[in-house]
Amino acid sequence: QVQLVESGGGSVQAGGSLRLSCAASDFTSGSGYMAWFRQAPGKEREGVAAISLRSGSTYYTDSVKGRFTISRDNAKNTIFLQMNSLKPEDTAMYYCAAHSRYGLEVLTPPAYRSWGQGTQVTVSS
């Protein structure tokens, strides 16, 4: 069981930036993925970005491509989400996910076995 702690959320104006961090107790699989999801009120949890801990390959939902960057520091057991050019539509609770399951889509919730508590991101116009 991996413990995940998110940080870096907050309230910003449209066009601003935030950097989210997710510190994991352990990267339980060197070949697995970690990801960021978000959920706004009344909406389903949405996969935002995922990263292979092995290769560093990244995956993004279309709405954040070119604006968000996911990265990892394996030595620190930490992943990050740099969010630039934020829009009000990005407002959501952001969750870190880890311990991926083989063969599942990496931007879908069933692909992960461990979840953080979430950090709120609010973008005002």
Side-chain angles (χ1 to χ4, degrees):
Q1 182 79 285
V2 61
Q3 301 296 125
L4 305 173
V5 179
E6 303 102 329
S7 62
S11 182
V12 298
Q13 294 181 330
S17 298
L18 285 172
R19 185 186 187 228
L20 306 184
S21 299
C22 174
S25 60
D26 190 22
F27 283 177
T28 56
S29 175
S31 61
Y33 294 80
M34 291 182 67
W36 290 97
F37 289 75
R38 65 187 181 187
Q39 188 166 23
K43 298 183 180 179
E44 294 184 346
R45 188 166 296 193
E46 173 191 27
V48 176
I51 186 165
S52 167
L53 300 179
R54 172 188 59 82
S55 70
S57 297
T58 57
Y59 308 84
Y60 299 94
T61 191
D62 286 344
S63 64
V64 308
K65 286 182 178 178
R67 300 189 298 121
F68 291 11
T69 303
I70 188 171
S71 60
R72 95 287 203 211
D73 185 340
N74 286 358
K76 302 291 186 180
N77 291 344
T78 302
I79 65 165
F80 307 92
L81 186 67
Q82 179 67 46
M83 304 186 294
N84 299 325
S85 301
L86 282 162
K87 305 174 180 179
E89 306 89 83
D90 297 316
T91 295
M93 185 73 73
Y94 282 70
Y95 298 91
C96 179
H99 204 181
S100 61
R101 295 181 169 98
Y102 179 82
L104 300 180
E105 297 179 13
V106 297
L107 289 178
T108 62
Y112 300 92
R113 286 170 277 185
S114 298
W115 294 84
Q117 302 91 341
T119 185
Q120 179 67 40
V121 171
T122 301
V123 185
S124 60
S125 60

